Amino acid sequence: MTHEEDTFNQESRQKKPVIRRDRVVVTKVTEQELSQIKSTADQCGMTRSDFIRARALGYKPRQRLSDRELDGLRQLAACRTDMVNFANALHGLSDNEKIRLFRHEETMLEWYEKVAHVTNRVADFLQSAQTANSYPAGTTNQGTKEDGA
């Protein structure tokens, strides 16, 4: 077998099979429902057809993060870095040094104020992300509560 034949065989095995969708499902919706479908599909970065197919097959597409949410995610990553650096610094201290540090009220108060800011930012971001990822009421079976859209 030549190198070209071997390469061709590897490429043909690695290619994903082409799925031909040639069946059509038609449904009627109101103007408001169509608008909502278009809007939600756009928010998820999907075509209407892909979005409807995903929902009909039981998948729960996630909406793309807004610029505000992406900024929040970046800030959380920076906060995590700070927390890891703090934990690493503490890890390097002896037990006696840790006890002295934690008994120093001014240092602990300053640390608490910084940590409280970080935890508040995390809570705000999580609340924002959870709200943005939920589907409007009435789009699903009222008896079924879906988790995370």
Side-chain angles (χ1 to χ4, degrees), residues 23-49:
R23 302 289 184 236
V24 178
V25 176
V26 178
T27 186
K28 292 184 179 186
V29 294
T30 66
E31 189 64 39
Q32 182 181 1
E33 290 169 335
L34 179 62
S35 175
Q36 188 172 351
I37 290 168
K38 285 179 182 179
S39 173
T40 308
D42 286 344
Q43 291 170 2
C44 293
M46 300 173 79
T47 64
R48 280 183 290 165
S49 181

Side-chain angles (χ1 to χ4, degrees), residues 35-103:
S35 175
Q36 188 172 351
I37 290 168
K38 285 179 182 179
S39 173
T40 308
D42 286 344
Q43 291 170 2
C44 293
M46 300 173 79
T47 64
R48 280 183 290 165
S49 181
D50 286 342
F51 177 76
I52 291 169
R53 182 182 314 104
R55 294 295 295 151
L57 295 174
Y59 297 104
K60 300 167 187 165
R62 296 211 173 263
Q63 296 175 349
R64 288 183 174 170
L65 295 179
S66 68
D67 289 340
R68 182 173 167 260
E69 291 167 334
L70 285 172
D71 184 52
L73 204 53
R74 285 185 203 100
Q75 290 179 20
L76 284 177
C79 290
R80 181 191 177 281
T81 300
D82 290 344
M83 298 284 238
V84 167
N85 289 340
F86 181 75
N88 287 340
L90 279 177
H91 185 67
L93 298 177
S94 70
D95 288 342
N96 288 334
E97 289 172 318
K98 288 177 191 175
I99 290 170
R100 265 198 317 266
L101 176 66
F102 284 104
R103 286 187 178 161

Side-chain angles (χ1 to χ4, degrees), residues 106-120:
E106 186 179 317
T107 301
M108 292 311 297
L109 183 59
E110 182 181 329
W111 179 79
Y112 172 76
E113 288 171 355
K114 289 180 180 179
V115 169
H117 174 72
V118 170
T119 56
N120 288 340

Side-chain angles (χ1 to χ4, degrees), residues 14-27:
Q14 291 176 354
K15 289 182 183 178
K16 291 182 181 179
V18 176
I19 298 173
R20 183 177 167 104
R21 292 190 170 95
D22 57 1
R23 302 289 184 236
V24 178
V25 176
V26 178
T27 186

